[in-house]
Amino acid sequence: MAYFDAASAAPLHPVARQALLASLDEGWADPARLYREGRRARVLLDAAREAAAEAVGCRPDELVFTASGTRAVHAGIAGALAGRRRVGRHLIVSAVEHSSVLHSAEVHEAAGGAVTQVPVDRAGAVDPAAFGAALRADTALACLQSANHEVGTEQPVTEVAEACRVAGVPLLVDAAQSLGWGPVDGGWSLLTASAHKWGGPSGVGLLVVRKGVRFAPQGPVDERESGRAAGFENIPAIVAAAASLRAVRAEAAEEALRLRELTDRIRVRVPELVPDIEVVGDPVRRLPGVVTFSCLYVDGEALLHELDREGFSVSSGSSCTSSTLTPSHVLRAMGVLSEGNVRVSLPPGVAEEDVERFLAVLPGAVAAVREKLGAPVSETVVREDVLVVDSLGKRCPIPVIELAKVIGDVPVGGLVRVLSDDEAARLDIPAWCEMRNQEYVGEEPADQGTAYLIRRAS
Amino acid sequence: MAYFDAASAAPLHPVARQALLASLDEGWADPARLYREGRRARVLLDAAREAAAEAVGCRPDELVFTASGTRAVHAGIAGALAGRRRVGRHLIVSAVEHSSVLHSAEVHEAAGGAVTQVPVDRAGAVDPAAFGAALRADTALACLQSANHEVGTEQPVTEVAEACRVAGVPLLVDAAQSLGWGPVDGGWSLLTASAHKWGGPSGVGLLVVRKGVRFAPQGPVDERESGRAAGFENIPAIVAAAASLRAVRAEAAEEALRLRELTDRIRVRVPELVPDIEVVGDPVRRLPGVVTFSCLYVDGEALLHELDREGFSVSSGSSCTSSTLTPSHVLRAMGVLSEGNVRVSLPPGVAEEDVERFLAVLPGAVAAVREKLGAPVSETVVREDVLVVDSLGKRCPIPVIELAKVIGDVPVGGLVRVLSDDEAARLDIPAWCEMRNQEYVGEEPADQGTAYLIRRAS
């Protein structure tokens, strides 16, 4: 049994567990009260704030605890936008931010604000120059994650923060994926994070607002946490969060080296072991424990089930997670294949033999899924000089499988026209062309769905 | 050492502690994931939802877990108002709601909505007829607590819910103070509560929205908890919250009788033991464990310190808690004395001898504070036929002390004019008149502060 989804949530760190237990009896009372139990709770809360601030590299009075990383992002973006409303209503985000950032941007846009999404390259990183070029006189806030949650690519935060500083625009950094590994460098203005990503308990996020950054908390007034995080403080969980952050930091340098070696092994060997796989994300500038790849002709959900049966818990950005049917916006923004997507995110302390066993099991799991999907009857009709593949009503990865089957049936220079009404095809057909050195001509509306045109190049 | 502030936060119930520990290892993963750890977390979350729904008396799919009671109120009010925006933008609240409700109403008003505050009687209860009369054709939502958090008075929820039902207006009930004692009767539409009030951990609130109630969650989209509570679910705490709710309910009937007897004892004996005390709140329709009284000529903060030194942790609605300088809006709305205010809220399981010791200690504590404040030099000047007391710059309870000292200096029928710039005087001088059978004539603006006119009646 191996849990390889630390980027979603890490199991509770032993230090967090210890700190939680120790503070259940001391930290339940209202820290705003004057009596003994209240003062004891206040002492714990203050100490946790100091420890967290030291790990972040900020002043304790710049840091508040929220109920989750998502809440920290929502409150941070809303408060920073409102605080600079007089400057303007323009918001910049990268195209690969966490959904909590992008959904905050949607709300801002729906309320009449303007939003610029800065694109990323095929590795998932923004170009600092392009980010800087998006800054305008009316830009109220810019947001950039420290590292991507789906592919592990690190963003050029220092350079982007410098561009923002020069323009006088505050930069909010979502550090959810990286804070356990170290502080975020550069002159950022706001920072958010989530304790359960570093082995702290659920229910604790961080919101840091540097002194001097204009900030106007939104929503009903509440006196807790400097008015920036409404609701009774969850002190035992906060104490555990701060303690585990300190604990993982103490092990971070050594563990990062070890995990980086293990993920490098996966990056190199997976394409050797399994045909038609694309490893995505930056090979160098990346989180130590994350490696992501996509498998052609594979249904991501089916592959997760195969791997789960073999004892591996991994995640997927394919259009087939349990609660969503759209393919990952991150993979789409990178322009890489989304079908058969697997994210492996190793928790600190993972056993090397589990990684080896994963590499041993993966080829069979992929083959099993491909075999199940392998023989779809495709209705192909030759119309004029174009081979038409009707994949209407068929879900990813069937359209790509059908395209791959017929490409050899047209001469070099000939066209294949794939009809599909599955949104994932828009991403996966061009990605397949890039992987297979075929020419992607483009798409056009069809009577039903969309027609994708591919010219056989080789 | 006795903790008498259960209405703020109750210590963790042993069952909650047990459930929390048991689920730390099973409930940390993302319940939206398809793998083993995710499915295990989902099972725990579903079971907790069913248990909580049974205790509330609703369907599991009507109940979501929030990060606090405050967040439940904020989300519930905002969502219900938005869901019925086409009907109108009128909101009704009682004058003695929790600050989370009143601050939500402020936000609504600032955004152009209309708010009606329904007043309460001297016992702290709304009149159902008056509440019903506030309902309008454009009323989007009405809010009424099940019982008051400062004085323990139960509200006529069943009657008010019926009036709302007839008018087709949803009623949101803030059940934070009562849910541990039993389900809320009546045809309410939305309900909120907070686990740390019933011995659950911090970090868990409940928001119930009955099927058929129009509800439009506000803020950025988030798929968790049916889109009604953003952020990663805190499953171990949720499991503990549900388990402790069930546990306190099993003991509720018996414990309610016991606590009611103890608080009755305080209600009867405190005025016998300490002169110039007013016990406030409904003597019969009230929470079992809460009793509140105000002491003339006493500074509430000083009294809390005296009692803390004697080993008692109590709360105060006076203008002297650690984070606020305004007197309690609840006491103000009731028109009762706010100075020297003490709320005793007994936790289930409290020892009878602690209550007896409190009664033994209280007279000395009040006397000590009164002695310290006892000899203020008041500058009294006779001007025409009115005795003028200049209390400008002096904080509560000094103005009332000075009034009490001079009332005997004017003949029956004569006037005393107290000049004060302390906001608490507006409440406490009329309350003193009522307690002392003197005639409160009224107030008028003065060069500095406000002049309060009192006619000696006896």
Side-chain angles (χ1 to χ4, degrees), chain A residues 243-260:
Chain A
S244 57
L245 181 53
R246 193 192 291 242
V248 298
R249 282 290 188 80
E251 307 150 358
E254 200 173 327
E255 191 62 18
L257 282 177
R258 206 177 70 86
L259 292 193
R260 190 170 287 277

Side-chain angles (χ1 to χ4, degrees), chain A residues 206-420:
Chain A
L206 300 184
L207 169 61
V208 181
V209 182
R210 291 275 194 208
K211 284 288 146 197
V213 174
R214 284 203 194 125
F215 194 84
Q218 297 301 286
V221 169
D222 189 283
E223 71 210 21
R224 310 243 168 219
E225 291 297 287
S226 313
R228 291 176 181 172
F232 195 84
E233 297 94 340
N234 187 353
I235 294 178
I238 286 170
V239 169
S244 57
L245 181 53
R246 193 192 291 242
V248 298
R249 282 290 188 80
E251 307 150 358
E254 200 173 327
E255 191 62 18
L257 282 177
R258 206 177 70 86
L259 292 193
R260 190 170 287 277
E261 192 281 316
L262 292 173
T263 46
D264 270 337
R265 215 182 284 189
I266 296 174
R267 289 188 75 88
V268 171
R269 286 182 46 203
V270 158
E272 295 168 1
L273 293 166
V274 185
D276 297 325
I277 267 193
E278 182 179 16
V279 180
V280 299
D282 196 296
V284 179
R285 289 193 60 160
R286 62 181 178 85
L287 293 168
V290 177
V291 51
T292 302
F293 51 84
S294 297
C295 313
L296 265 182
Y297 320 137
V298 165
D299 168 351
E301 181 162 342
L303 183 53
L304 293 201
H305 281 308
E306 283 292 331
L307 290 170
D308 180 49
R309 216 168 298 146
E310 296 284 355
F312 293 97
S313 300
V314 297
S315 184
S316 172
S318 295
S319 59
C320 50
T321 53
S322 69
S323 52
T324 166
L325 284 170
T326 50
S328 147
H329 69 275
V330 173
L331 302 176
R332 200 162 47 205
M334 292 165 67
V336 297
L337 189 72
S338 84
E339 69 183 38
N341 179 261
V342 171
R343 175 186 68 187
V344 172
S345 53
L346 304 177
V350 68
E352 180 182 355
E353 49 272 35
D354 283 341
V355 173
E356 282 301 327
R357 203 167 60 79
F358 177 77
L359 289 169
V361 155
L362 183 69
V366 173
V369 175
R370 283 182 176 158
E371 199 183 316
K372 272 182 219 154
L373 296 169
V377 179
S378 70
E379 293 159 32
T380 60
V381 193
V382 178
R383 197 180 67 190
E384 294 164 17
D385 55 340
V386 182
L387 182 69
V388 176
V389 178
D390 179 359
S391 288
L392 290 169
K394 293 174 187 164
R395 291 264 317 277
C396 155
I398 303 299
V400 174
I401 290 178
E402 296 188 337
L403 165 62
K405 281 186 168 175
V406 303
I407 192 77
D409 297 350
V410 298
V412 171
L415 283 173
V416 179
R417 182 183 165 92
V418 181
L419 295 171
S420 171

Side-chain angles (χ1 to χ4, degrees), chain B residues 336-374:
Chain B
V336 296
L337 188 72
S338 83
E339 69 184 36
N341 180 260
V342 170
R343 176 185 68 187
V344 171
S345 54
L346 304 177
V350 68
E352 181 182 352
E353 50 273 34
D354 283 341
V355 173
E356 282 299 327
R357 201 166 62 77
F358 177 77
L359 289 170
V361 154
L362 183 68
V366 172
V369 175
R370 282 182 177 160
E371 199 183 316
K372 273 182 218 153
L373 296 170

